[in-house]
Amino acid sequence: MTNIKTVFVTGGAGYIGSHCVLSLLEAGYNVVAIDNFVNSVEQQESAASLDRVSRITGKKIIFYKCDLLDIQQLDDIFNKHQFDCVIHFAAMKSVGESIKQPLMYYKNNIVGAMNLLDVMAAHECYQLVFSSSCTVYGNPIFLPITEDHPIGNVTNVYGRTKYFIEEILKDSVNSDPKWNVISLRYFNPVGAHSSGLIGEDPTKNFSNLMPYIALVALGKKPTLSIFGGDYETPDGTGIRDYIHVMDLAEGHVAALKKLQSKQSHLEVFNLGSGQGTSVLEFVQTFENVTGVKVPYIIEARREGDIGSMYANCDLARTKLGWTAKYTLDDICRDFWRWQSLNPNGYKGNSITSTNGDTCH
């Protein structure tokens, strides 16, 4: 049995990472987080999202600006702290960009993960929760998708990086039984913390649905572009499984508890709502919940997109004791609260701490 007290979180200042850090702190864990802000439009030196997390929880977070490609800096951080477990979020994440710049994605995501595993092993830290993706399933051959669905026939480079890292983790576990790994395959994270203090930063370059809805709702864009209106779905638009980001965060806490309770070696779990929602249904729900109209136009399908994808999450329910609790109405309400209170995201609200300083 492993007693996990201090968790190292890569990509901790990002959208999912910051919400997960909040849940970790509320569950009693100590957190050291890193981020290189690669998904930011502008270069950043500090983590405003984690400052907000500290305000919400009243707890401290040690933060370093660090790139996983800098293995020496990563090793220095491990020399300064004793980590019981790592949660690995850090990755470039745009499907469209990954298709246009595959080498950049392979280098950042895969080499960064390998550097992390090397440093973890060197410091005898073998407990890992990996942020994977439903994209590893490719174009589904059956729905809802269970964890034993074939993987590897991926439709985009981003998804292939997640698939390759899962294979690296599988080989690592097979080669050394000290490794204890849980891979969480996310579906579509949306929403924000109910406080309205943290959420998905609209100042970044997005390719996903909800930030674009918000930009139209805020009047920053005239119309929402819906890519693909001719899928074999009831209304012709793509169907996805939208999961509240706080449900997702709680899934990571459940995974840590699983690592503590027994050796997992390598286990894989879907994290989703278990329900499929079309893009038009999502837009209509947002309008109904917020009272704000979102004009849209239907455009051609994007390369790498698929028609329908949603999860079967029975395994997470039975083995992790986790289920998604928030509804689509909750998702829209919480996201609009965040967006209304922070129309420019975190811009102008950065903390002053630098490498190794404590956010509090």
Side-chain angles (χ1 to χ4, degrees), residues 34-35 58 65 92 99 110 130 138 152 158 172 186 206-207 230 239 259 312:
I34 66 167
D35 208 298
K65 184 180 180 184
M92 302 184 78
I99 294 171
I110 296 177
F130 173 55
Y158 163 74
S172 298
Y186 309 161
F206 287 107
S207 60
D230 57 352
I239 290 176
L259 289 179
N312 178 313

Side-chain angles (χ1 to χ4, degrees), residues 261-291:
S261 66
K262 61 183 291 187
Q263 284 292 103
S264 295
H265 296 305
L266 178 60
E267 293 189 87
V268 176
F269 298 97
N270 289 337
L271 293 186
S273 70
Q275 297 181 340
T277 302
S278 77
V279 175
L280 282 181
E281 288 174 331
F282 194 106
V283 172
Q284 289 162 3
T285 301
F286 181 87
E287 290 181 337
N288 291 339
V289 168
T290 65

Side-chain angles (χ1 to χ4, degrees), residues 80-360:
K80 293 177 182 177
H81 305 276
Q82 180 67 46
F83 298 124
D84 302 303
C85 182
V86 173
I87 300 181
H88 178 37
F89 294 105
M92 302 184 78
K93 61 179 183 177
S94 169
V95 168
E97 185 182 58
S98 76
I99 294 171
K100 295 176 181 178
Q101 301 188 63
L103 295 182
M104 180 172 70
Y105 269 68
Y106 287 131
K107 180 178 181 181
N108 185 86
N109 292 6
I110 296 177
V111 175
M114 292 173 65
N115 284 349
L116 177 63
L117 293 173
D118 280 342
V119 173
M120 287 177 65
H123 291 266
E124 298 186 345
C125 178
Y126 293 100
Q127 319 296 317
L128 174 67
V129 177
F130 173 55
S131 165
S132 190
S133 167
C134 64
T135 55
V136 302
Y137 294 117
N139 205 339
I141 59 177
F142 62 81
L143 292 169
I145 298 171
T146 58
E147 288 83 353
D148 58 3
H149 185 289
I151 65 172
N153 188 23
V154 187
T155 61
N156 58 76
V157 175
Y158 163 74
R160 273 192 284 277
T161 66
K162 294 294 187 180
Y163 166 69
F164 290 149
I165 294 169
E166 281 202 11
E167 292 297 294
I168 291 168
L169 293 173
K170 187 187 303 180
D171 291 336
S172 298
V173 168
N174 289 338
S175 70
D176 189 341
K178 289 193 293 290
W179 282 105
N180 195 19
V181 178
I182 290 178
S183 183
L184 300 176
R185 293 173 180 164
Y186 309 161
F187 280 69
N188 291 71
V190 282
H193 187 259
S194 59
S195 67
L197 286 173
I198 60 172
E200 193 164 12
D201 195 339
T203 63
K204 299 177 182 178
N205 289 322
F206 287 107
S207 60
N208 45 336
L209 176 64
M210 198 154 210
Y212 277 123
I213 289 178
L215 290 176
V216 176
L218 288 168
K220 295 186 176 184
K221 286 186 177 294
T223 56
L224 168 72
S225 293
I226 296 177
F227 297 100
D230 57 352
Y231 288 110
E232 293 182 3
T233 62
D235 62 22
T237 63
I239 290 176
R240 296 292 182 269
D241 185 334
Y242 297 100
I243 175 174
H244 196 293
V245 67
M246 289 309 301
D247 275 332
L248 193 63
E250 289 302 317
H252 292 78
V253 175
L256 285 188
K257 291 178 180 177
K258 180 72 160 62
L259 289 179
Q260 287 184 144
S261 66
K262 61 183 291 187
Q263 284 292 103
S264 295
H265 296 305
L266 178 60
E267 293 189 87
V268 176
F269 298 97
N270 289 337
L271 293 186
S273 70
Q275 297 181 340
T277 302
S278 77
V279 175
L280 282 181
E281 288 174 331
F282 194 106
V283 172
Q284 289 162 3
T285 301
F286 181 87
E287 290 181 337
N288 291 339
V289 168
T290 65
V292 180
K293 289 295 181 183
V294 181
Y296 64 86
I297 55 173
I298 304 291
E299 298 193 12
R301 301 183 187 187
R302 294 179 299 190
E303 184 181 1
D305 278 351
I306 62 174
S308 296
M309 176 172 280
Y310 53 95
N312 178 313
C313 299
D314 288 348
L315 196 63
R317 176 176 54 80
T318 57
K319 289 195 170 185
L320 297 181
W322 173 91
T323 55
K325 298 175 182 176
Y326 292 91
T327 66
L328 195 61
D329 283 14
D330 295 329
I331 286 168
C332 293
R333 186 178 300 108
D334 288 343
F335 183 80
W336 188 236
R337 182 183 299 111
W338 148 256
Q339 201 68 101
S340 300
L341 293 173
N342 304 271
N344 298 311
Y346 296 113
K347 190 174 182 180
N349 295 294
S350 294
I351 60 174
T352 57
S353 60
T354 55
N355 277 6
D357 284 354
T358 303
C359 307
H360 54 78

